[in-house]
């Protein structure tokens, strides 16, 4: 009885959409490791741990290519440079960040220094995400946003460019001026804090493992944007899914080659050469000679080793014979004959 293509398709759809099977599939799926993600569109595996800098253990020395400091980015027109780490806190030990409690200073993943004050622009996060096809990493809960000072700073820059003086402030709308007590707070009264978004781009030809570039900052200096070019953003195959290593793959290929050799050779010898018994094996004479060679080597080794084995202790021959004379040695008669022959030759030579 043949099953139609429509029936098979409908059965596959029902099994795929079965909520019980879907739940079991989710249970079997292992959670992703920190700082790793799989693309929902291409299925590529991304591991940012290769560019994450970790602090050295006490008493240990760095290896040759191990990085000992966080990544740096030049701020250009921002008048301050940035220090960033990926999925880990910065390696540099900063005792105090503006607006950050002391117990959270060790979780800062990005910061900048201005006039001797350190500002955090995001706490540690090890969960990269995809926005479309773009891989991004976001840090939040940095130092409080100074809305008043930032607003005034941008107003002054705008006036200097437009040629306006400070007296023009009287003509401004009072609603546009920063209100007292509104420093770093939103409409709900919650403290607004600095955040960072890092966008990763694939670059297999990069000289360094990662190249960090400062893209820009929001007008209120609350949101910072960076771009990172690295080979770690190119994706690959997950090590967890890759169950066989290089040795396992080579072993499988070798096993398949041996099976093809044996099966193909046996079929050829039986059908074409009409061989029977062990002679059906391919190259039977060669393998038989190798077997004989191995047997001979084994016999030689065992016979050589048997000489080194001490003999068992038992009865030995006496050093004195029954008539009180030492027993004649096997080589004694031979030595006497040689001596007589030498004496005879000497006498003939003298004559």
């Amino acid at each position: 009885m043949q099953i139609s293509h429509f029936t098979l398709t409908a059965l596959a759809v029902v099994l795929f959409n079965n909520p019980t099977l879907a739940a079991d599939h989710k249970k079997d799926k292992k959670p992703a490791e920190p700082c790793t993600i799989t693309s929902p569109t291409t299925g590529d595996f991304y591991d940012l741990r290769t560019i994450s800098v970790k602090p050295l253990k006490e008493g240990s020395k760095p290896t040759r290519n191990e990085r000992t400091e966080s990544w740096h980015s030049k701020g250009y027109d921002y008048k301050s440079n940035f220090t960033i780490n990926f999925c880990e806190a910065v390696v540099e030990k900063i005792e105090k960040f503006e607006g950050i409690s002391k117990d959270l200073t060790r979780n800062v993943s990005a910061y900048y220094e201005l006039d001797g004050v350190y500002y955090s622009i995001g706490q540690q996060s090890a969960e990269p995400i995809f926005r479309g096809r773009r891989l991004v990493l976001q840090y939040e809960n940095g130092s409080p946003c100074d809305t008043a000072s930032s607003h005034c700073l941008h107003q002054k820059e705008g006036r200097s460019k437009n040629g306006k003086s400070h007296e023009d402030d009287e003509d401004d709308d009072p609603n546009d001026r920063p209100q007292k007590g509104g420093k770093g707070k939103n409409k709900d009264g919650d403290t607004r804090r600095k955040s960072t978004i890092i966008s990763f781009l694939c670059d297999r030809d990069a000289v360094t493992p990662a190249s960090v570039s400062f893209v820009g900052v929001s007008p209120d200096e609350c949101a910072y944007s960076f771009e990172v070019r690295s080979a770690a953003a190119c994706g690959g195959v997950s090590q967890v899914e890759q169950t066989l290593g290089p040795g396992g793959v080579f072993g499988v290929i070798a096993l398949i080659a041996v099976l093809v050799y044996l099966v193909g050779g046996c079929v050829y010898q039986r059908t074409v050469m009409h061989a029977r018994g062990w002679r059906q094996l391919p190259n039977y004479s060669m393998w038989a000679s190798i077997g004989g060679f191995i047997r001979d080597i084994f016999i030689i080794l065992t016979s050589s080793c048997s000489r080194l084995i001490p003999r068992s202790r038992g009865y030995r021959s006496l050093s004195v014979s029954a008539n009180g004379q030492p027993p004649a040695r096997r080589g004694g008669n031979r030595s006497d004959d040689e001596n007589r022959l030498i004496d005879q030759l000497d006498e003939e030579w003298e004559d």
Side-chain angles (χ1 to χ4, degrees):
M1 181 178 179
Q2 296 182 351
I3 302 176
S4 63
H5 178 71
F6 175 77
T7 305
L8 293 175
T9 305
L11 181 60
V13 171
V14 170
L15 292 176
F16 182 80
N17 293 328
N18 192 338
T20 305
L21 295 178
D24 295 339
H25 177 70
K26 291 182 179 180
K27 290 181 181 180
D28 297 338
K29 188 176 181 181
K30 296 181 180 180
E33 296 185 7
C35 208
T36 62
I37 190 174
T38 302
S39 173
T41 56
T42 62
D44 293 337
F45 179 75
Y46 295 83
D47 189 356
L48 301 180
R49 294 174 296 182
T50 56
I51 57 176
S52 178
V53 183
K54 295 183 179 180
L56 293 176
K57 297 181 180 180
E58 296 183 359
S60 62
K61 295 182 179 180
T63 58
R64 182 177 181 181
N65 298 325
E66 185 176 5
R67 190 178 179 89
T68 58
E69 60 180 8
S70 303
W71 302 97
H72 302 283
S73 176
K74 191 174 181 180
Y76 298 101
D77 57 342
Y78 191 73
K79 300 181 181 180
S80 180
N81 298 329
F82 300 91
T83 303
I84 300 176
N85 199 0
F86 307 114
C87 300
E88 294 283 347
V90 291
V91 179
E92 292 73 12
K93 295 182 179 180
I94 308 300
E95 296 181 356
K96 183 180 179 180
F97 289 97
E98 182 70 17
I100 301 296
S101 59
K102 188 175 181 180
D103 55 342
L104 295 178
T105 55
R106 54 188 177 183
N107 295 332
V108 174
S109 290
Y111 73 91
Y112 66 92
E113 183 266 336
L114 186 62
D115 296 334
V117 181
Y118 292 91
Y119 296 89
S120 169
I121 56 177
Q123 295 286 318
Q124 175 185 355
S125 175
E127 297 180 358
I129 59 175
F130 270 95
R131 289 201 171 101
R133 299 178 64 89
R134 181 64 62 91
L135 177 63
V136 297
L137 181 64
Q138 189 167 358
Y139 296 149
E140 297 178 346
N141 298 324
S143 297
C145 300
D146 192 353
T147 308
S149 61
S150 300
H151 184 74
C152 293
L153 177 62
H154 286 285
Q155 279 189 342
K156 290 180 181 179
E157 291 179 353
R159 292 193 193 98
S160 61
K161 292 180 181 179
N162 297 331
K164 294 183 180 181
S165 62
H166 296 285
E167 297 177 355
D168 295 338
D169 293 342
E170 299 178 357
D171 299 334
D172 294 341
D173 190 354
N175 296 328
D176 295 338
R177 299 176 183 176
Q179 302 295 328
K180 295 182 179 181
K183 177 181 178 180
K185 294 185 178 180
N186 54 19
K187 296 180 180 179
D188 298 333
D190 299 331
T191 302
R192 299 176 65 247
R193 294 185 174 273
K194 297 178 183 292
S195 62
T196 298
I197 186 167
I198 306 172
S199 177
F200 294 89
L201 296 178
C202 175
D203 188 0
R204 300 184 185 275
D205 300 328
V207 179
T208 58
S211 177
V212 186
S213 302
F214 172 64
V215 177
V217 60
S218 61
D220 58 355
E221 297 185 7
C222 251
Y224 297 79
S225 179
F226 296 88
E227 183 180 86
V228 178
R229 294 181 176 272
S230 172
C234 297
V237 181
S238 174
Q239 297 295 331
V240 178
E241 296 178 358
Q242 190 178 1
T243 56
L244 290 178
V249 174
F250 178 78
V252 171
I253 295 175
L255 180 60
I256 294 174
V258 170
L259 291 177
V260 171
Y261 170 75
L262 292 176
V263 175
C266 290
V267 172
Y268 175 80
Q269 293 289 339
R270 185 177 182 84
T271 57
V272 178
M273 305 302 294
H274 302 286
R276 295 293 183 269
W278 288 105
R279 296 189 177 277
Q280 296 180 89
L281 294 175
N283 304 108
Y284 170 76
S285 58
M286 182 188 69
W287 296 115
S289 61
I290 291 176
F293 175 76
I294 295 174
R295 184 179 65 253
D296 295 340
I297 293 296
F298 178 76
I299 294 173
I300 293 172
L301 292 177
T302 53
S303 60
S304 301
C305 294
S306 63
R307 298 177 182 177
L308 302 177
I309 300 175
R311 297 179 180 179
S312 61
R313 297 180 179 180
Y315 294 103
R316 295 183 179 180
S317 59
L318 296 176
S319 60
V320 180
S321 61
N323 56 3
Q325 298 295 329
R329 297 181 180 179
R330 295 180 180 178
N333 298 330
R334 185 177 179 182
S335 60
D336 294 339
D337 295 340
E338 291 178 353
N339 293 331
R340 284 194 297 270
L341 179 61
I342 293 173
D343 295 339
Q344 184 179 358
L345 291 174
D346 291 339
E347 291 176 358
E348 292 178 357
W349 179 261
E350 291 177 357
D351 296 340

